[in-house]
Structures are given as structure tokens and as C-alpha cells.
Amino acid sequence: IKDNRFIKGYTKQNYKIGNIGLDLDLFAWNKKNKYWKNNIHLVAPSEWMANQAKSSKLMQNLKIEIIPSPIPNYFFKNYKVNECRRKFNLPNNKFIILFSGFKSFNNYNKGWDLFNKIINETYLLDKEIELILLGIKKDEFSFNPHMKTHYFGYMKIQKILQ
């Protein structure tokens, strides 16, 4: 069954049967619907994504431009999750969150302040979660001591980035 909530709008009536807990999609959609006005200009990396946005109830009247990604589509490869976890010594039984950005912890535009607030002020600390920080070296920054954090530093080798 195709999920078309983004087209019609998020309501309690079209919440997927079997899902439990807080409907974060509905929460986010309501916030966006409240605060997004026509002064927002969206950028999509493909015509398909721009058309998806234009078909949504929330974004149908917004200005949407297409700016292709500067990284070619063939750059990234699809790998099996367990294969990647084994290669980078990550556990199979934990939920992994990736935050990526070159020296992003001191750059307001990267959203580190928001990410840090969410991690530290929500239920996430009580869960089986580990964090990957990409673009941040351990000797540059120390994150929450209560959360297992993997510092991947800067990736310059294309094979590793893929």
C-alpha cells in the first residue's frame, strides 16, 4: 500500500494501521502547516522530488527549484546494513544515528545545536542508541558521556565514503 499521507495531509484518520506511539509525521506536518507560509523557497535535487513536493498538500503553493546534486549518482553504493556494521565495528543490536558535517558542532547552520538538544532532552538517552559523528574528530569534541559515540573524523578516500 502506497503511503500518500504527504499528498492528502497527515491526520489521525490516515495513520498507518499497526503503528503505535506518537505520530511524529503528524506532529511535524502540523508545525510546518502552521509556520510555513508562501515565503519559503524549496530546492529539490531532481525533477521527481520536485514533483513529489508539488503534489503535497503542504507544499503545493510553494516555489520549488531544481538544483542537481554536485555528487554524481554513481558515487554512492548500496550495501547491506550488517555488512557495513561489521566493516566499521558497529553493533547489530543497536539503533544508530548518524550526524555528519565538517566541524559542524560549532557551526549554527549545520543544526548541531538542535540535534544536541534533541539527544539530551528526550527519551533517546534511555534507548539502545549509538551515535556516529562524521566530520568530527574525538580530540576536537566530546559528546554526551551517556551515549556511546563513534567518531569517524574526516573521510577523504572515495572508497570509504561510498
Side-chain angles (χ1 to χ4, degrees):
I1 299 172
K2 184 179 176 185
D3 184 0
N4 61 1
R5 292 178 84 198
F6 78 97
I7 295 172
K8 296 179 178 180
Y10 293 80
T11 66
K12 290 180 182 179
Q13 290 73 32
N14 64 12
Y15 191 48
K16 203 177 247 180
I17 296 173
N19 283 4
I20 58 172
L22 178 65
D23 185 352
L24 292 175
D25 294 324
L26 173 61
F27 176 79
W29 194 86
N30 284 335
K31 288 289 186 189
K32 290 174 185 176
N33 196 36
K34 181 178 179 180
Y35 294 108
W36 284 15
K37 303 299 176 209
N38 286 336
N39 60 347
I40 291 182
H41 188 146
L42 297 177
V43 176
S46 69
E47 188 173 336
W48 176 85
M49 194 175 288
N51 288 335
Q52 293 292 302
K54 288 176 187 175
S55 70
S56 78
K57 185 175 180 181
L58 184 64
M59 299 178 213
Q60 63 190 358
N61 296 319
L62 299 178
K63 186 172 183 177
I64 301 173
E65 297 291 332
I66 299 169
I67 300 178
S69 173
I71 302 173
N73 291 342
Y74 61 82
F75 182 81
F76 293 103
K77 306 228 181 319
N78 230 351
Y79 291 100
K80 294 183 179 177
V81 173
N82 289 339
E83 181 182 325
C84 291
R85 286 179 182 247
R86 186 177 58 254
K87 181 176 182 172
F88 293 105
N89 297 317
L90 299 170
N92 285 322
N93 62 340
K94 304 281 183 163
F95 186 81
I96 305 282
I97 298 175
L98 169 69
F99 187 88
S100 175
F102 178 69
K103 295 189 178 185
S104 55
F105 56 88
N106 61 5
N107 183 338
Y108 178 80
N109 295 318
K110 298 291 185 177
W112 174 260
D113 58 321
L114 300 172
F115 179 76
N116 192 27
K117 183 177 180 181
I118 290 168
I119 293 294
N120 286 308
E121 293 183 7
T122 66
Y123 64 92
L124 294 178
L125 291 175
D126 298 331
K127 302 292 180 185
E128 292 291 316
I129 295 174
E130 293 188 9
L131 180 65
I132 294 175
L133 298 180
L134 181 59
I136 300 171
K137 294 180 182 176
K138 188 173 186 173
D139 61 348
E140 293 177 330
F141 182 75
S142 180
F143 188 60
N144 189 321
H146 304 293
M147 179 175 283
K148 172 81 174 175
T149 304
H150 306 270
Y151 296 86
F152 277 58
Y154 313 114
M155 302 279 180
K156 294 181 181 178
I157 302 169
Q158 181 173 338
K159 190 77 173 162
I160 294 173
L161 286 171
Q162 292 178 328

